[in-house]
Amino acid sequence: MTDVPDDWSHYGLYADRLRVQGPDHLATVTTLWALLCGGLKDFPAPEGAGGTVGEPSDLPEGVGPEDVHLEGDHDELLSELLVAAVDFKERQVVRHGPDAPETLRATLGFAHAMAAANQYEGQRDDALILAQDAREGIDELAVRSPETVGARDQEVARALHHWILDTLGEDPTH
């Protein structure tokens, strides 16, 4: 098993912060921010990828710009984190495909950013779906191709999945 993905050299620190400080701690969020920024620098946008992430047209159906709310101490950081997470995930999909471990890790980062930002009604529900799907994919890879994911991947997936469930008032039983 691998412990650290090639594209995220500080992934272990992120996993440790999730475990010790929790997903909503500022240090954990800023570590995710650093991971995403490093990944975006290391992997430029693929040829043909264009457009600006975060435009109103990218909002879910039924959510208009007037429905987006940013309130709190770190709203600007969370907004930028979410934009970076979307961009990084899209690049990983193009580079590795939708079911690759790199993409599943990026999906977890995206789910974390969505749930932390919580900019519109139902955003945490959307984050839950992403986290659940990524967790299932990582668990499946751990069985099918254990050399592609590590114990930290499963730990991160479980921690984020449980945290999002908790923020929604649901009991994280698995």
Side-chain angles (χ1 to χ4, degrees), residues 70-123:
L70 286 171
E71 301 167 355
D73 296 336
H74 309 291
D75 56 341
E76 189 173 317
L77 170 66
L78 293 172
S79 178
E80 291 175 7
L81 175 70
L82 186 54
V83 171
V86 169
D87 194 12
F88 187 70
K89 180 184 177 286
E90 288 176 353
R91 290 181 192 195
Q92 295 298 71
V93 169
V94 170
R95 186 165 188 235
H96 300 286
D99 298 321
E102 297 84 359
T103 303
L104 295 172
R105 289 180 197 107
T107 301
L108 287 170
F110 179 36
H112 185 179
M114 284 182 74
N118 195 29
Q119 295 174 322
Y120 58 83
E121 190 69 33
Q123 188 167 17

mmCIF file of all heavy atoms in Angstrom, residues 70-123:
data_model
loop_
_atom_site.group_PDB
_atom_site.id
_atom_site.type_symbol
_atom_site.label_atom_id
_atom_site.label_comp_id
_atom_site.label_asym_id
_atom_site.label_seq_id
_atom_site.Cartn_x
_atom_site.Cartn_y
_atom_site.Cartn_z
ATOM 1 N N LEU A 70 -22.280 33.669 1.996
ATOM 2 C CA LEU A 70 -20.960 33.509 2.596
ATOM 3 C C LEU A 70 -20.957 34.341 3.865
ATOM 4 O O LEU A 70 -20.975 35.560 3.820
ATOM 5 C CB LEU A 70 -19.862 33.989 1.650
ATOM 6 C CG LEU A 70 -19.562 33.077 0.483
ATOM 7 C CD1 LEU A 70 -18.629 33.764 -0.493
ATOM 8 C CD2 LEU A 70 -18.960 31.783 0.968
ATOM 9 N N GLU A 71 -20.979 33.647 4.965
ATOM 10 C CA GLU A 71 -20.998 34.318 6.246
ATOM 11 C C GLU A 71 -20.003 33.627 7.150
ATOM 12 O O GLU A 71 -19.829 32.422 7.082
ATOM 13 C CB GLU A 71 -22.393 34.245 6.869
ATOM 14 C CG GLU A 71 -23.463 34.877 6.008
ATOM 15 C CD GLU A 71 -24.864 34.522 6.467
ATOM 16 O OE1 GLU A 71 -25.024 33.718 7.389
ATOM 17 O OE2 GLU A 71 -25.799 35.060 5.877
ATOM 18 N N GLY A 72 -19.364 34.373 7.974
ATOM 19 C CA GLY A 72 -18.449 33.774 8.935
ATOM 20 C C GLY A 72 -17.067 34.386 8.855
ATOM 21 O O GLY A 72 -16.786 35.258 8.033
ATOM 22 N N ASP A 73 -16.223 33.883 9.717
ATOM 23 C CA ASP A 73 -14.890 34.446 9.863
ATOM 24 C C ASP A 73 -13.984 34.181 8.674
ATOM 25 O O ASP A 73 -13.089 34.961 8.393
ATOM 26 C CB ASP A 73 -14.218 33.879 11.120
ATOM 27 C CG ASP A 73 -14.940 34.289 12.386
ATOM 28 O OD1 ASP A 73 -15.632 35.328 12.366
ATOM 29 O OD2 ASP A 73 -14.815 33.561 13.385
ATOM 30 N N HIS A 74 -14.179 33.100 7.982
ATOM 31 C CA HIS A 74 -13.250 32.685 6.939
ATOM 32 C C HIS A 74 -13.951 32.474 5.604
ATOM 33 O O HIS A 74 -13.565 31.614 4.818
ATOM 34 C CB HIS A 74 -12.538 31.403 7.378
ATOM 35 C CG HIS A 74 -11.943 31.506 8.743
ATOM 36 N ND1 HIS A 74 -10.870 32.321 9.024
ATOM 37 C CD2 HIS A 74 -12.306 30.946 9.913
ATOM 38 C CE1 HIS A 74 -10.583 32.240 10.310
ATOM 39 N NE2 HIS A 74 -11.441 31.414 10.879
ATOM 40 N N ASP A 75 -14.967 33.280 5.335
ATOM 41 C CA ASP A 75 -15.770 33.080 4.138
ATOM 42 C C ASP A 75 -14.966 33.225 2.850
ATOM 43 O O ASP A 75 -15.160 32.469 1.901
ATOM 44 C CB ASP A 75 -17.001 33.985 4.123
ATOM 45 C CG ASP A 75 -16.666 35.462 4.273
ATOM 46 O OD1 ASP A 75 -15.559 35.786 4.732
ATOM 47 O OD2 ASP A 75 -17.526 36.279 3.937
ATOM 48 N N GLU A 76 -14.026 34.154 2.805
ATOM 49 C CA GLU A 76 -13.230 34.332 1.588
ATOM 50 C C GLU A 76 -12.332 33.120 1.347
ATOM 51 O O GLU A 76 -12.236 32.625 0.227
ATOM 52 C CB GLU A 76 -12.388 35.603 1.689
ATOM 53 C CG GLU A 76 -11.718 35.963 0.374
ATOM 54 C CD GLU A 76 -11.022 37.308 0.446
ATOM 55 O OE1 GLU A 76 -11.601 38.251 1.014
ATOM 56 O OE2 GLU A 76 -9.899 37.392 -0.081
ATOM 57 N N LEU A 77 -11.688 32.623 2.396
ATOM 58 C CA LEU A 77 -10.858 31.425 2.281
ATOM 59 C C LEU A 77 -11.689 30.240 1.798
ATOM 60 O O LEU A 77 -11.283 29.514 0.897
ATOM 61 C CB LEU A 77 -10.197 31.093 3.622
ATOM 62 C CG LEU A 77 -9.503 29.721 3.698
ATOM 63 C CD1 LEU A 77 -8.301 29.661 2.773
ATOM 64 C CD2 LEU A 77 -9.108 29.412 5.133
ATOM 65 N N LEU A 78 -12.859 30.067 2.383
ATOM 66 C CA LEU A 78 -13.707 28.934 2.009
ATOM 67 C C LEU A 78 -14.188 29.037 0.565
ATOM 68 O O LEU A 78 -14.278 28.041 -0.142
ATOM 69 C CB LEU A 78 -14.887 28.819 2.970
ATOM 70 C CG LEU A 78 -14.509 28.426 4.404
ATOM 71 C CD1 LEU A 78 -15.708 28.538 5.322
ATOM 72 C CD2 LEU A 78 -13.903 27.037 4.451
ATOM 73 N N SER A 79 -14.485 30.243 0.133
ATOM 74 C CA SER A 79 -14.907 30.444 -1.249
ATOM 75 C C SER A 79 -13.771 30.094 -2.208
ATOM 76 O O SER A 79 -13.969 29.385 -3.200
ATOM 77 C CB SER A 79 -15.351 31.896 -1.443
ATOM 78 O OG SER A 79 -15.727 32.108 -2.777
ATOM 79 N N GLU A 80 -12.572 30.584 -1.916
ATOM 80 C CA GLU A 80 -11.409 30.283 -2.760
ATOM 81 C C GLU A 80 -11.053 28.803 -2.700
ATOM 82 O O GLU A 80 -10.651 28.205 -3.708
ATOM 83 C CB GLU A 80 -10.226 31.145 -2.337
ATOM 84 C CG GLU A 80 -10.433 32.611 -2.664
ATOM 85 C CD GLU A 80 -9.312 33.500 -2.142
ATOM 86 O OE1 GLU A 80 -8.297 32.967 -1.639
ATOM 87 O OE2 GLU A 80 -9.463 34.728 -2.240
ATOM 88 N N LEU A 81 -11.199 28.198 -1.539
ATOM 89 C CA LEU A 81 -10.952 26.763 -1.379
ATOM 90 C C LEU A 81 -11.882 25.966 -2.273
ATOM 91 O O LEU A 81 -11.457 25.028 -2.960
ATOM 92 C CB LEU A 81 -11.148 26.360 0.084
ATOM 93 C CG LEU A 81 -11.036 24.874 0.397
ATOM 94 C CD1 LEU A 81 -9.601 24.397 0.258
ATOM 95 C CD2 LEU A 81 -11.559 24.600 1.806
ATOM 96 N N LEU A 82 -13.132 26.343 -2.300
ATOM 97 C CA LEU A 82 -14.110 25.629 -3.116
ATOM 98 C C LEU A 82 -13.787 25.748 -4.603
ATOM 99 O O LEU A 82 -13.830 24.758 -5.334
ATOM 100 C CB LEU A 82 -15.520 26.151 -2.818
ATOM 101 C CG LEU A 82 -16.674 25.409 -3.476
ATOM 102 C CD1 LEU A 82 -16.632 23.920 -3.167
ATOM 103 C CD2 LEU A 82 -17.996 25.996 -3.016
ATOM 104 N N VAL A 83 -13.430 26.928 -5.048
ATOM 105 C CA VAL A 83 -13.061 27.120 -6.455
ATOM 106 C C VAL A 83 -11.839 26.268 -6.804
ATOM 107 O O VAL A 83 -11.806 25.585 -7.828
ATOM 108 C CB VAL A 83 -12.818 28.614 -6.764
ATOM 109 C CG1 VAL A 83 -12.224 28.792 -8.154
ATOM 110 C CG2 VAL A 83 -14.123 29.393 -6.644
ATOM 111 N N ALA A 84 -10.839 26.267 -5.928
ATOM 112 C CA ALA A 84 -9.633 25.463 -6.165
ATOM 113 C C ALA A 84 -9.955 23.973 -6.170
ATOM 114 O O ALA A 84 -9.421 23.213 -6.990
ATOM 115 C CB ALA A 84 -8.575 25.773 -5.104
ATOM 116 N N ALA A 85 -10.834 23.537 -5.277
ATOM 117 C CA ALA A 85 -11.202 22.122 -5.202
ATOM 118 C C ALA A 85 -11.913 21.657 -6.472
ATOM 119 O O ALA A 85 -11.661 20.556 -6.972
ATOM 120 C CB ALA A 85 -12.079 21.868 -3.976
ATOM 121 N N VAL A 86 -12.796 22.494 -6.995
ATOM 122 C CA VAL A 86 -13.489 22.158 -8.245
ATOM 123 C C VAL A 86 -12.478 22.042 -9.377
ATOM 124 O O VAL A 86 -12.485 21.064 -10.137
ATOM 125 C CB VAL A 86 -14.560 23.223 -8.588
ATOM 126 C CG1 VAL A 86 -15.099 23.028 -9.996
ATOM 127 C CG2 VAL A 86 -15.696 23.190 -7.587
ATOM 128 N N ASP A 87 -11.613 23.011 -9.488
ATOM 129 C CA ASP A 87 -10.616 23.028 -10.550
ATOM 130 C C ASP A 87 -9.689 21.816 -10.450
ATOM 131 O O ASP A 87 -9.419 21.130 -11.439
ATOM 132 C CB ASP A 87 -9.819 24.331 -10.489
ATOM 133 C CG ASP A 87 -8.986 24.597 -11.734
ATOM 134 O OD1 ASP A 87 -9.178 23.909 -12.757
ATOM 135 O OD2 ASP A 87 -8.147 25.516 -11.692
ATOM 136 N N PHE A 88 -9.202 21.536 -9.254
ATOM 137 C CA PHE A 88 -8.289 20.412 -9.068
ATOM 138 C C PHE A 88 -8.976 19.087 -9.410
ATOM 139 O O PHE A 88 -8.405 18.230 -10.087
ATOM 140 C CB PHE A 88 -7.747 20.381 -7.639
ATOM 141 C CG PHE A 88 -6.686 19.347 -7.432
ATOM 142 C CD1 PHE A 88 -5.428 19.494 -8.003
ATOM 143 C CD2 PHE A 88 -6.934 18.227 -6.666
ATOM 144 C CE1 PHE A 88 -4.441 18.528 -7.824
ATOM 145 C CE2 PHE A 88 -5.954 17.263 -6.477
ATOM 146 C CZ PHE A 88 -4.701 17.414 -7.049
ATOM 147 N N LYS A 89 -10.203 18.916 -8.958
ATOM 148 C CA LYS A 89 -10.929 17.677 -9.258
ATOM 149 C C LYS A 89 -11.114 17.511 -10.761
ATOM 150 O O LYS A 89 -10.901 16.418 -11.308
ATOM 151 C CB LYS A 89 -12.279 17.650 -8.558
ATOM 152 C CG LYS A 89 -13.060 16.370 -8.863
ATOM 153 C CD LYS A 89 -14.437 16.400 -8.254
ATOM 154 C CE LYS A 89 -15.235 15.184 -8.612
ATOM 155 N NZ LYS A 89 -15.710 15.196 -9.992
ATOM 156 N N GLU A 90 -11.497 18.576 -11.440
ATOM 157 C CA GLU A 90 -11.688 18.498 -12.890
ATOM 158 C C GLU A 90 -10.390 18.114 -13.601
ATOM 159 O O GLU A 90 -10.396 17.308 -14.529
ATOM 160 C CB GLU A 90 -12.225 19.824 -13.430
ATOM 161 C CG GLU A 90 -13.663 20.070 -13.053
ATOM 162 C CD GLU A 90 -14.185 21.425 -13.505
ATOM 163 O OE1 GLU A 90 -13.405 22.263 -14.019
ATOM 164 O OE2 GLU A 90 -15.393 21.652 -13.329
ATOM 165 N N ARG A 91 -9.280 18.669 -13.150
ATOM 166 C CA ARG A 91 -7.991 18.331 -13.759
ATOM 167 C C ARG A 91 -7.632 16.863 -13.513
ATOM 168 O O ARG A 91 -7.086 16.200 -14.393
ATOM 169 C CB ARG A 91 -6.885 19.229 -13.209
ATOM 170 C CG ARG A 91 -7.014 20.663 -13.681
ATOM 171 C CD ARG A 91 -5.912 21.518 -13.143
ATOM 172 N NE ARG A 91 -6.195 22.938 -13.357
ATOM 173 C CZ ARG A 91 -5.289 23.881 -13.240
ATOM 174 N NH1 ARG A 91 -4.052 23.584 -12.899
ATOM 175 N NH2 ARG A 91 -5.623 25.140 -13.441
ATOM 176 N N GLN A 92 -7.944 16.364 -12.327
ATOM 177 C CA GLN A 92 -7.644 14.966 -12.026
ATOM 178 C C GLN A 92 -8.507 14.028 -12.864
ATOM 179 O O GLN A 92 -8.035 12.983 -13.321
ATOM 180 C CB GLN A 92 -7.819 14.680 -10.539
ATOM 181 C CG GLN A 92 -6.833 15.425 -9.644
ATOM 182 C CD GLN A 92 -5.387 15.051 -9.903
ATOM 183 O OE1 GLN A 92 -4.799 15.399 -10.925
ATOM 184 N NE2 GLN A 92 -4.802 14.347 -8.968
ATOM 185 N N VAL A 93 -9.753 14.389 -13.085
ATOM 186 C CA VAL A 93 -10.626 13.570 -13.932
ATOM 187 C C VAL A 93 -10.058 13.490 -15.343
ATOM 188 O O VAL A 93 -9.963 12.409 -15.930
ATOM 189 C CB VAL A 93 -12.076 14.113 -13.955
ATOM 190 C CG1 VAL A 93 -12.906 13.430 -15.038
ATOM 191 C CG2 VAL A 93 -12.736 13.940 -12.598
ATOM 192 N N VAL A 94 -9.659 14.638 -15.895
ATOM 193 C CA VAL A 94 -9.101 14.665 -17.255
ATOM 194 C C VAL A 94 -7.789 13.891 -17.299
ATOM 195 O O VAL A 94 -7.547 13.126 -18.232
ATOM 196 C CB VAL A 94 -8.893 16.129 -17.728
ATOM 197 C CG1 VAL A 94 -8.088 16.191 -19.012
ATOM 198 C CG2 VAL A 94 -10.239 16.818 -17.911
ATOM 199 N N ARG A 95 -6.970 14.063 -16.299
ATOM 200 C CA ARG A 95 -5.638 13.443 -16.303
ATOM 201 C C ARG A 95 -5.678 11.948 -16.038
ATOM 202 O O ARG A 95 -4.936 11.174 -16.645
ATOM 203 C CB ARG A 95 -4.784 14.136 -15.245
ATOM 204 C CG ARG A 95 -3.354 13.682 -15.247
ATOM 205 C CD ARG A 95 -2.501 14.650 -14.458
ATOM 206 N NE ARG A 95 -1.111 14.289 -14.648
ATOM 207 C CZ ARG A 95 -0.277 14.037 -13.666
ATOM 208 N NH1 ARG A 95 -0.676 14.142 -12.430
ATOM 209 N NH2 ARG A 95 0.967 13.707 -13.921
ATOM 210 N N HIS A 96 -6.530 11.499 -15.080
ATOM 211 C CA HIS A 96 -6.486 10.112 -14.633
ATOM 212 C C HIS A 96 -7.763 9.312 -14.890
ATOM 213 O O HIS A 96 -7.746 8.091 -14.758
ATOM 214 C CB HIS A 96 -6.207 10.060 -13.122
ATOM 215 C CG HIS A 96 -4.910 10.680 -12.730
ATOM 216 N ND1 HIS A 96 -3.698 10.084 -12.961
ATOM 217 C CD2 HIS A 96 -4.637 11.863 -12.115
ATOM 218 C CE1 HIS A 96 -2.718 10.859 -12.499
ATOM 219 N NE2 HIS A 96 -3.275 11.955 -11.997
ATOM 220 N N GLY A 97 -8.854 9.980 -15.162
ATOM 221 C CA GLY A 97 -10.136 9.294 -15.308
ATOM 222 C C GLY A 97 -10.942 9.400 -14.022
ATOM 223 O O GLY A 97 -10.402 9.701 -12.955
ATOM 224 N N PRO A 98 -12.239 9.141 -14.104
ATOM 225 C CA PRO A 98 -13.126 9.399 -12.963
ATOM 226 C C PRO A 98 -12.966 8.438 -11.778
ATOM 227 O O PRO A 98 -13.332 8.789 -10.666
ATOM 228 C CB PRO A 98 -14.528 9.269 -13.566
ATOM 229 C CG PRO A 98 -14.338 8.419 -14.770
ATOM 230 C CD PRO A 98 -12.967 8.711 -15.288
ATOM 231 N N ASP A 99 -12.426 7.250 -11.997
ATOM 232 C CA ASP A 99 -12.357 6.272 -10.914
ATOM 233 C C ASP A 99 -10.949 6.028 -10.398
ATOM 234 O O ASP A 99 -10.722 5.111 -9.611
ATOM 235 C CB ASP A 99 -12.969 4.948 -11.390
ATOM 236 C CG ASP A 99 -14.429 5.097 -11.761
ATOM 237 O OD1 ASP A 99 -15.141 5.836 -11.061
ATOM 238 O OD2 ASP A 99 -14.861 4.475 -12.752
ATOM 239 N N ALA A 100 -10.001 6.843 -10.820
ATOM 240 C CA ALA A 100 -8.610 6.689 -10.390
ATOM 241 C C ALA A 100 -8.452 7.145 -8.939
ATOM 242 O O ALA A 100 -9.182 8.020 -8.473
ATOM 243 C CB ALA A 100 -7.690 7.507 -11.293
ATOM 244 N N PRO A 101 -7.494 6.583 -8.222
ATOM 245 C CA PRO A 101 -7.286 7.002 -6.832
ATOM 246 C C PRO A 101 -7.011 8.497 -6.708
ATOM 247 O O PRO A 101 -7.480 9.137 -5.761
ATOM 248 C CB PRO A 101 -6.082 6.185 -6.362
ATOM 249 C CG PRO A 101 -5.728 5.249 -7.436
ATOM 250 C CD PRO A 101 -6.575 5.528 -8.626
ATOM 251 N N GLU A 102 -6.276 9.061 -7.644
ATOM 252 C CA GLU A 102 -5.985 10.497 -7.608
ATOM 253 C C GLU A 102 -7.268 11.314 -7.695
ATOM 254 O O GLU A 102 -7.426 12.328 -7.008
ATOM 255 C CB GLU A 102 -5.048 10.885 -8.761
ATOM 256 C CG GLU A 102 -3.691 10.236 -8.706
ATOM 257 C CD GLU A 102 -3.638 8.829 -9.316
ATOM 258 O OE1 GLU A 102 -4.678 8.317 -9.784
ATOM 259 O OE2 GLU A 102 -2.536 8.251 -9.317
ATOM 260 N N THR A 103 -8.177 10.869 -8.537
ATOM 261 C CA THR A 103 -9.450 11.567 -8.693
ATOM 262 C C THR A 103 -10.325 11.387 -7.459
ATOM 263 O O THR A 103 -11.003 12.328 -7.026
ATOM 264 C CB THR A 103 -10.174 11.076 -9.953
ATOM 265 O OG1 THR A 103 -9.318 11.279 -11.078
ATOM 266 C CG2 THR A 103 -11.485 11.808 -10.164
ATOM 267 N N LEU A 104 -10.302 10.208 -6.873
ATOM 268 C CA LEU A 104 -11.092 9.972 -5.665
ATOM 269 C C LEU A 104 -10.587 10.838 -4.512
ATOM 270 O O LEU A 104 -11.386 11.394 -3.754
ATOM 271 C CB LEU A 104 -11.072 8.494 -5.287
ATOM 272 C CG LEU A 104 -11.748 7.560 -6.307
ATOM 273 C CD1 LEU A 104 -11.513 6.104 -5.934
ATOM 274 C CD2 LEU A 104 -13.233 7.864 -6.419
ATOM 275 N N ARG A 105 -9.261 11.002 -4.408
ATOM 276 C CA ARG A 105 -8.704 11.900 -3.385
ATOM 277 C C ARG A 105 -9.149 13.343 -3.649
ATOM 278 O O ARG A 105 -9.513 14.080 -2.724
ATOM 279 C CB ARG A 105 -7.185 11.827 -3.377
ATOM 280 C CG ARG A 105 -6.636 10.541 -2.828
ATOM 281 C CD ARG A 105 -5.109 10.511 -2.836
ATOM 282 N NE ARG A 105 -4.663 9.145 -2.690
ATOM 283 C CZ ARG A 105 -4.143 8.414 -3.661
ATOM 284 N NH1 ARG A 105 -3.957 8.922 -4.866
ATOM 285 N NH2 ARG A 105 -3.788 7.166 -3.440
ATOM 286 N N ALA A 106 -9.103 13.752 -4.903
ATOM 287 C CA ALA A 106 -9.535 15.103 -5.268
ATOM 288 C C ALA A 106 -11.023 15.289 -4.983
ATOM 289 O O ALA A 106 -11.446 16.372 -4.564
ATOM 290 C CB ALA A 106 -9.225 15.378 -6.737
ATOM 291 N N THR A 107 -11.812 14.251 -5.191
ATOM 292 C CA THR A 107 -13.243 14.302 -4.906
ATOM 293 C C THR A 107 -13.481 14.489 -3.413
ATOM 294 O O THR A 107 -14.364 15.249 -3.001
ATOM 295 C CB THR A 107 -13.953 13.041 -5.419
ATOM 296 O OG1 THR A 107 -13.743 12.946 -6.833
ATOM 297 C CG2 THR A 107 -15.444 13.068 -5.121
ATOM 298 N N LEU A 108 -12.679 13.819 -2.594
ATOM 299 C CA LEU A 108 -12.796 14.009 -1.148
ATOM 300 C C LEU A 108 -12.458 15.450 -0.761
ATOM 301 O O LEU A 108 -13.133 16.044 0.083
ATOM 302 C CB LEU A 108 -11.887 13.029 -0.401
ATOM 303 C CG LEU A 108 -12.352 11.580 -0.407
ATOM 304 C CD1 LEU A 108 -11.255 10.671 0.146
ATOM 305 C CD2 LEU A 108 -13.647 11.408 0.374
ATOM 306 N N GLY A 109 -11.422 16.009 -1.388
ATOM 307 C CA GLY A 109 -11.084 17.409 -1.130
ATOM 308 C C GLY A 109 -12.218 18.338 -1.540
ATOM 309 O O GLY A 109 -12.532 19.305 -0.833
ATOM 310 N N PHE A 110 -12.833 18.035 -2.658
ATOM 311 C CA PHE A 110 -13.971 18.819 -3.137
ATOM 312 C C PHE A 110 -15.140 18.708 -2.156
ATOM 313 O O PHE A 110 -15.767 19.720 -1.796
ATOM 314 C CB PHE A 110 -14.356 18.336 -4.538
ATOM 315 C CG PHE A 110 -15.520 19.029 -5.165
ATOM 316 C CD1 PHE A 110 -15.767 20.374 -4.986
ATOM 317 C CD2 PHE A 110 -16.383 18.316 -5.988
ATOM 318 C CE1 PHE A 110 -16.844 21.007 -5.594
ATOM 319 C CE2 PHE A 110 -17.456 18.931 -6.605
ATOM 320 C CZ PHE A 110 -17.694 20.276 -6.403
ATOM 321 N N ALA A 111 -15.423 17.490 -1.692
ATOM 322 C CA ALA A 111 -16.513 17.294 -0.728
ATOM 323 C C ALA A 111 -16.224 18.053 0.567
ATOM 324 O O ALA A 111 -17.124 18.687 1.139
ATOM 325 C CB ALA A 111 -16.703 15.803 -0.449
ATOM 326 N N HIS A 112 -14.974 18.009 1.019
ATOM 327 C CA HIS A 112 -14.594 18.739 2.233
ATOM 328 C C HIS A 112 -14.820 20.235 2.038
ATOM 329 O O HIS A 112 -15.419 20.901 2.892
ATOM 330 C CB HIS A 112 -13.128 18.441 2.565
ATOM 331 C CG HIS A 112 -12.665 19.032 3.846
ATOM 332 N ND1 HIS A 112 -11.393 18.849 4.315
ATOM 333 C CD2 HIS A 112 -13.265 19.833 4.774
ATOM 334 C CE1 HIS A 112 -11.240 19.488 5.463
ATOM 335 N NE2 HIS A 112 -12.362 20.096 5.760
ATOM 336 N N ALA A 113 -14.357 20.759 0.912
ATOM 337 C CA ALA A 113 -14.521 22.188 0.628
ATOM 338 C C ALA A 113 -15.998 22.574 0.549
ATOM 339 O O ALA A 113 -16.403 23.614 1.089
ATOM 340 C CB ALA A 113 -13.804 22.550 -0.672
ATOM 341 N N MET A 114 -16.793 21.751 -0.107
ATOM 342 C CA MET A 114 -18.232 22.054 -0.220
ATOM 343 C C MET A 114 -18.906 22.097 1.146
ATOM 344 O O MET A 114 -19.674 23.015 1.443
ATOM 345 C CB MET A 114 -18.938 20.996 -1.086
ATOM 346 C CG MET A 114 -18.703 21.127 -2.555
ATOM 347 S SD MET A 114 -19.621 19.875 -3.476
ATOM 348 C CE MET A 114 -21.282 20.510 -3.352
ATOM 349 N N ALA A 115 -18.630 21.078 1.957
ATOM 350 C CA ALA A 115 -19.276 21.009 3.268
ATOM 351 C C ALA A 115 -18.799 22.126 4.188
ATOM 352 O O ALA A 115 -19.584 22.682 4.955
ATOM 353 C CB ALA A 115 -19.017 19.642 3.903
ATOM 354 N N ALA A 116 -17.522 22.461 4.102
ATOM 355 C CA ALA A 116 -16.991 23.532 4.946
ATOM 356 C C ALA A 116 -17.548 24.891 4.536
ATOM 357 O O ALA A 116 -17.893 25.706 5.384
ATOM 358 C CB ALA A 116 -15.459 23.543 4.881
ATOM 359 N N ALA A 117 -17.649 25.135 3.232
ATOM 360 C CA ALA A 117 -18.154 26.421 2.741
ATOM 361 C C ALA A 117 -19.638 26.557 3.005
ATOM 362 O O ALA A 117 -20.114 27.616 3.411
ATOM 363 C CB ALA A 117 -17.862 26.579 1.254
ATOM 364 N N ASN A 118 -20.400 25.491 2.746
ATOM 365 C CA ASN A 118 -21.843 25.485 2.981
ATOM 366 C C ASN A 118 -22.485 26.778 2.494
ATOM 367 O O ASN A 118 -23.161 27.487 3.225
ATOM 368 C CB ASN A 118 -22.146 25.257 4.463
ATOM 369 C CG ASN A 118 -23.589 24.883 4.697
ATOM 370 O OD1 ASN A 118 -24.237 24.283 3.838
ATOM 371 N ND2 ASN A 118 -24.105 25.228 5.858
ATOM 372 N N GLN A 119 -22.280 27.084 1.208
ATOM 373 C CA GLN A 119 -22.702 28.366 0.645
ATOM 374 C C GLN A 119 -24.174 28.433 0.271
ATOM 375 O O GLN A 119 -24.698 29.514 0.080
ATOM 376 C CB GLN A 119 -21.875 28.669 -0.600
ATOM 377 C CG GLN A 119 -20.414 28.872 -0.300
ATOM 378 C CD GLN A 119 -19.589 29.019 -1.564
ATOM 379 O OE1 GLN A 119 -19.853 28.352 -2.558
ATOM 380 N NE2 GLN A 119 -18.605 29.885 -1.525
ATOM 381 N N TYR A 120 -24.824 27.316 0.096
ATOM 382 C CA TYR A 120 -26.237 27.344 -0.293
ATOM 383 C C TYR A 120 -26.952 26.142 0.311
ATOM 384 O O TYR A 120 -26.332 25.159 0.709
ATOM 385 C CB TYR A 120 -26.407 27.372 -1.820
ATOM 386 C CG TYR A 120 -25.774 26.196 -2.539
ATOM 387 C CD1 TYR A 120 -26.427 24.977 -2.654
ATOM 388 C CD2 TYR A 120 -24.512 26.315 -3.116
ATOM 389 C CE1 TYR A 120 -25.845 23.907 -3.300
ATOM 390 C CE2 TYR A 120 -23.931 25.253 -3.767
ATOM 391 C CZ TYR A 120 -24.599 24.044 -3.865
ATOM 392 O OH TYR A 120 -24.016 22.984 -4.503
ATOM 393 N N GLU A 121 -28.254 26.255 0.373
ATOM 394 C CA GLU A 121 -29.087 25.193 0.918
ATOM 395 C C GLU A 121 -28.871 23.909 0.131
ATOM 396 O O GLU A 121 -28.936 23.903 -1.088
ATOM 397 C CB GLU A 121 -30.562 25.617 0.839
ATOM 398 C CG GLU A 121 -31.499 24.715 1.580
ATOM 399 C CD GLU A 121 -31.326 24.804 3.098
ATOM 400 O OE1 GLU A 121 -30.994 25.896 3.602
ATOM 401 O OE2 GLU A 121 -31.515 23.787 3.758
ATOM 402 N N GLY A 122 -28.542 22.838 0.812
ATOM 403 C CA GLY A 122 -28.354 21.547 0.160
ATOM 404 C C GLY A 122 -26.915 21.262 -0.249
ATOM 405 O O GLY A 122 -26.620 20.173 -0.752
ATOM 406 N N GLN A 123 -26.007 22.205 -0.034
ATOM 407 C CA GLN A 123 -24.620 21.987 -0.446
ATOM 408 C C GLN A 123 -23.980 20.851 0.351
ATOM 409 O O GLN A 123 -23.229 20.062 -0.200
ATOM 410 C CB GLN A 123 -23.797 23.261 -0.313
ATOM 411 C CG GLN A 123 -22.407 23.126 -0.925
ATOM 412 C CD GLN A 123 -21.694 24.458 -1.076
ATOM 413 O OE1 GLN A 123 -22.073 25.455 -0.471
ATOM 414 N NE2 GLN A 123 -20.675 24.477 -1.893
#
